[in-house]
Amino acid sequence: MQRLTPEQMAERLAQDIPDGSYVNLGIGMPVMVANFVPEGRDVIYHSENGILGVGPTPAPGTEDPDLINAAKQYVTLIKGGCFFDTAESFAMMRGGHLDIAVLGGFQVSAAGDLANWATDNEKYPPAVGGAMDLSVGAKAVYVLMRHTTKDGQPKILDECSYPLTGAGVVRRIYTDLAVIEVTDAGLQVVELHDGNSFEDVQAATGTRLLPPAA
Amino acid sequence: MQRLTPEQMAERLAQDIPDGSYVNLGIGMPVMVANFVPEGRDVIYHSENGILGVGPTPAPGTEDPDLINAAKQYVTLIKGGCFFDTAESFAMMRGGHLDIAVLGGFQVSAAGDLANWATDNEKYPPAVGGAMDLSVGAKAVYVLMRHTTKDGQPKILDECSYPLTGAGVVRRIYTDLAVIEVTDAGLQVVELHDGNSFEDVQAATGTRLLPPAA
Amino acid sequence: MIDKRIASMREALTDVAPGSAVMIGGFGSSGIPFELIEALRQHGAGDLTIISNNAGVAEEGIAALLRDRLVRKVVCSYPRSQGSIWFERLFEEGAIELELIPQGTFAERMRAAGAGLGGFFTPTGYGTKMAEGKETREIDGRGYVLEHPLSADFALVRAHKGDRWGNLAYNTAGRNFNPVMAMAAEVTVAEVEHLVELGDLNPESVATPGVFVNRVVAQEGMN
Amino acid sequence: MIDKRIASMREALTDVAPGSAVMIGGFGSSGIPFELIEALRQHGAGDLTIISNNAGVAEEGIAALLRDRLVRKVVCSYPRSQGSIWFERLFEEGAIELELIPQGTFAERMRAAGAGLGGFFTPTGYGTKMAEGKETREIDGRGYVLEHPLSADFALVRAHKGDRWGNLAYNTAGRNFNPVMAMAAEVTVAEVEHLVELGDLNPESVATPGVFVNRVVAQEGMN
């Protein structure tokens, strides 16, 4: 099977971010999406710690120690950006003011449930951050994740076995194998990445998929 | 009986505002209190529309059209003052961050209930503003009002007949006849203005008062 | 390219339908979007619900909407300032509905709408007429009233400066209700005294981030 | 005369008793009151409940409090950043209690405490483990969880500039949790990079009005 690299996955998702969107990118693979937004589109990135208009990594030596993103990496502010406190930042998120949240995922269910904050390892501390607020608050939640775990187990399942981040919140799943939309009828494959057959992708999935329109 | 003028009433109340207090003065007689705070005391006045550090009336011609107090009069900002929005302003009030609110009153009951926002005239529109938030939120609520109505009816009563602003919220009542503290034992007269006997003040009151300590 | 500028007050309000709920920022005469209100009056959509702290004085602002009988209902904390003749007249006639809300609850209900909350318990109004018909509860020995979010179809706000992304900064106490209303409405239209270039506003002094604003119009000096 | 300045970090924390609940502002390494945390560590009061978004990395800040075993419980949204070795070690040992709260609920619970609200309904966490044991309710067809205010005995916050009345202004994204924590605690102590004269702060850019702050201490360069 053909698997996209993380860069290719981020690039594919970036194509679906419309001009003028307000977007929150989660920690991990999602933050890479910012590097691939097609030229000519104005996209404003939100960071949960109180930034609207997150810009690129600063040149070495020019870092502002207080100016970091949700992943605690140094960033800059673009022209037209602004700062606010956490309560207001989450008002934006929970209040439906952001167009798209791109989140990583441990598991996604057929009903669009998302699990991405805790596993079943009780010795390893859970960490939720802003994921639950984004999952209920953004107008659209896109999950960017590998189709299967490192040892080949499916991550798209009938039901999530890990604790949920949000129930029925996922709109689309962008994996290294396909793009899948969560619909009332079920998980609709909207795109198979080059060289992958529907049957192969179905075989790597823990729940029934609907084939793409012919 | 000796009745204090409104200025004298405001001056009397001002003696009881400690140095360093954050104070909200209601519309009407209460705003006059600011003119009488004893020299050497730093008092910071809050205005519900989003000002901490309200200063005196501006010189004619120097008014800022946006800089008004709760009574919609032009004011200034003192050095060290600041501005914020209404939600934050009422967070201050309701959250117990202001030391004293001085409110006008239509009626006060023996239990410290306050009525100051509506009468029983249904043709006349009620108006509540910030009075209810202040009455539950300030650390101490002082009522500044005449002891009786224009036609001589008592305003301090067993029970308020007008709709309540807050139940059991009043700490002290400053009238033109006396200063009265609301205590668990009842309405305790703490001061009779010069020349007034306890019996005279009791006669002008619609509920039982406790005489001042001898 | 994000550009929320609209050429005129009139064009910014063409889609206000009769029966709309419209928030209007300001307190007394401070921070009031007078030009947008005048454009709303000229637009002429009636049967409006006006959500604003006060109900206008003389023939100005909201008072002119009342005078022209465009308003079915006023939602506010303090309808009768000195000179609120039109509100008082219509109220006495029974020609206008009034929903009176304590000012802090009023601001907080709009914030709740903007912040995606389903409601909150406030001590304000407990034990008074304002709590009648509402759910109440004792929490840690204190009485609270459950209040629900308050949203609207439009919010008309006024700022001192704004840019084409809708970032707004206010002058002194002109801020008041404008930020919470900008959060709470479906469509927020900002009247700005000064339209400035992107990057001219201090990013630490933007009191309304542009994400809350849909349209920005420079004052035309129409009043 | 209102003067909230305290001469040293140490003196600002002398009344922190063992078992206190202490909010600590900041996010990651941004806006963290590192000098106050170090003074708290040297003060030595144990059995603390630390309320902060993260749990420190390496041997810095909150991690040093954990290492010295001064902390009984951590209340936060994201305890394990890369390098949170002390939190992970104590957690695995079962030597520390964790109350994990979604970040928006965390901020909003502190704001509710500061704003005098008794609780609020949030959609965050509905249908998840976070809602277990909590009151839930459907409002207009959507599920919500009832959350209660979160207060503390002390809040340690960090600002860029502060004056003797406790007015605070922040640098860029260093604001984060500092304003809500300043509202929510019994006693708020502010560590400021620059102590400025009264009137030097722009009154429109003060993000934490002085009424929320009890003590102001200039950084000593102790780290």
Side-chain angles (χ1 to χ4, degrees), chain B residues 48-49 64 66 68-69 72 83 85-87 90 94 117 122-130 132-133 136 164-165, chain C residues 27-28 30-31 54 77-80 87 91-92 100 103-104 108 122 124 128 130 142 158 171-173 176-177:
Chain B
E48 64 188 18
N49 50 318
D64 172 342
D66 290 322
I68 61 175
N69 63 15
K72 283 89 179 178
F83 302 108
D85 70 30
T86 309
F90 280 80
R94 203 178 36 228
W117 68 282
E122 299 232 324
K123 287 288 184 190
Y124 190 62
V128 62
M132 285 194 179
D133 300 279
V136 299
L164 294 193
T165 304
Chain C
F27 179 97
S30 161
N54 309 107
S77 91
Y78 211 86
R80 55 163 164 78
F87 179 82
F91 186 84
E92 197 172 338
L100 193 76
Q103 192 172 168
E108 196 66 19
T122 179
T124 303
T128 79
M130 290 290 180
R142 190 163 197 206
R158 218 282 297 283
N171 175 52
T172 65
N176 55 63
F177 286 93

Side-chain angles (χ1 to χ4, degrees), chain A residues 145-178:
Chain A
M145 67 176 192
R146 290 196 178 74
H147 208 94
T148 53
T149 64
K150 280 174 194 158
D151 51 2
Q153 295 306 304
K155 298 175 68 172
I156 302 174
L157 305 165
D158 286 332
E159 302 278 347
C160 297
S161 63
Y162 291 158
L164 294 192
T165 304
V169 295
V170 178
R171 171 91 54 97
R172 279 187 161 211
I173 315 166
Y174 292 80
T175 78
D176 44 353
L177 301 183

Side-chain angles (χ1 to χ4, degrees), chain C residues 105-124:
Chain C
T105 301
F106 185 46
E108 196 66 19
R109 285 182 59 191
M110 293 189 277
R111 181 183 178 277
L117 301 175
F120 57 90
F121 285 100
T122 179
T124 303

Side-chain angles (χ1 to χ4, degrees), chain D:
Chain D
M1 162 95 170
I2 300 179
D3 191 351
K4 301 179 179 177
R5 288 173 296 181
I6 303 282
S8 70
M9 299 291 163
R10 190 183 58 74
E11 287 165 80
L13 300 179
T14 47
D15 54 347
V16 176
S20 294
V22 183
M23 292 173 173
I24 299 181
F27 179 98
S29 60
S30 161
I32 299 263
F34 281 113
E35 298 199 4
L36 281 172
I37 300 171
E38 174 58 16
L40 180 64
R41 191 188 68 76
Q42 292 178 15
H43 176 63
D47 200 28
L48 301 175
T49 294
I50 296 294
I51 301 166
S52 192
N53 192 58
N54 308 106
V57 296
E59 313 280 325
E60 278 181 13
I62 295 170
L65 300 177
L66 294 170
R67 182 196 61 207
D68 287 9
R69 312 237 166 202
L70 298 172
V71 183
R72 183 179 63 76
K73 180 178 177 183
V74 168
V75 181
C76 74
S77 92
Y78 211 86
R80 53 161 165 78
S81 299
Q82 203 164 15
S84 294
I85 44 169
W86 281 106
F87 179 80
E88 290 182 16
R89 188 172 305 177
L90 270 58
F91 186 83
E92 197 173 337
E93 275 178 29
I96 196 150
E97 195 183 331
L98 170 66
E99 182 179 348
L100 193 77
I101 308 176
Q103 193 172 167
T105 301
F106 185 46
E108 196 67 18
R109 285 182 60 192
M110 293 189 276
R111 181 183 178 278
L117 301 175
F120 57 90
F121 285 100
T122 178
T124 303
Y126 183 81
T128 79
K129 225 169 116 173
M130 290 290 182
E132 276 173 22
K134 290 179 181 165
E135 181 176 334
T136 60
R137 172 182 305 209
E138 255 196 41
I139 302 169
D140 289 337
R142 190 164 197 206
Y144 292 87
V145 186
L146 178 63
E147 296 283 356
H148 287 96
L150 176 62
S151 59
D153 301 303
F154 291 85
L156 313 187
V157 303
R158 218 280 300 281
H160 185 52
K161 293 180 180 175
D163 64 27
R164 68 176 164 88
W165 282 5
N167 293 306
L168 305 178
Y170 301 92
N171 175 53
T172 64
R175 194 177 317 186
N176 56 63
F177 286 93
N178 289 299
V180 283
M181 288 182 175
M183 293 170 72
E186 217 33 65
V187 175
T188 293
V189 185
E191 166 181 335
V192 301
E193 289 161 54
H194 304 282
L195 196 51
V196 301
E197 291 298 310
L198 210 60
D200 278 1
L201 296 174
N202 176 350
E204 287 153 353
S205 302
V206 168
T208 295
V211 69
F212 296 130
V213 176
N214 303 86
R215 302 171 191 170
V216 180
V217 199
Q219 284 187 339
E220 299 166 359
M222 65 195 280
N223 282 323

Side-chain angles (χ1 to χ4, degrees), chain A residues 54-186:
Chain A
V54 177
T57 305
T62 68
E63 298 89 351
D64 171 343
D66 289 323
L67 188 39
I68 60 174
N69 64 14
K72 283 89 180 178
Q73 297 156 329
Y74 291 119
V75 294
T76 49
L77 188 76
I78 59 170
K79 201 191 274 194
C82 62
F83 302 107
F84 32 86
D85 71 31
T86 309
E88 181 155 7
S89 185
F90 280 79
M92 276 177 206
M93 294 157 76
R94 203 178 36 228
H97 303 282
L98 301 184
D99 297 302
I100 298 171
V102 182
L103 297 174
F106 294 159
Q107 299 175 334
V108 177
S109 81
D113 297 345
L114 171 65
N116 80 348
W117 68 282
T119 65
D120 43 16
N121 176 355
E122 299 233 322
K123 287 288 185 191
Y124 190 64
V128 63
M132 285 193 179
D133 301 279
L134 279 169
S135 76
V136 300
K139 284 179 200 151
V141 173
Y142 293 170
V143 171
L144 182 65
M145 67 176 192
R146 290 196 178 74
H147 208 94
T148 53
T149 64
K150 280 174 194 158
D151 51 2
Q153 295 306 304
K155 298 175 68 172
I156 302 174
L157 305 165
D158 286 332
E159 302 278 347
C160 297
S161 63
Y162 291 158
L164 294 192
T165 304
V169 295
V170 178
R171 171 91 54 97
R172 279 187 161 211
I173 315 166
Y174 292 80
T175 78
D176 44 353
L177 301 183
V179 178
I180 297 166
E181 179 130 353
V182 181
T183 73
D184 288 343

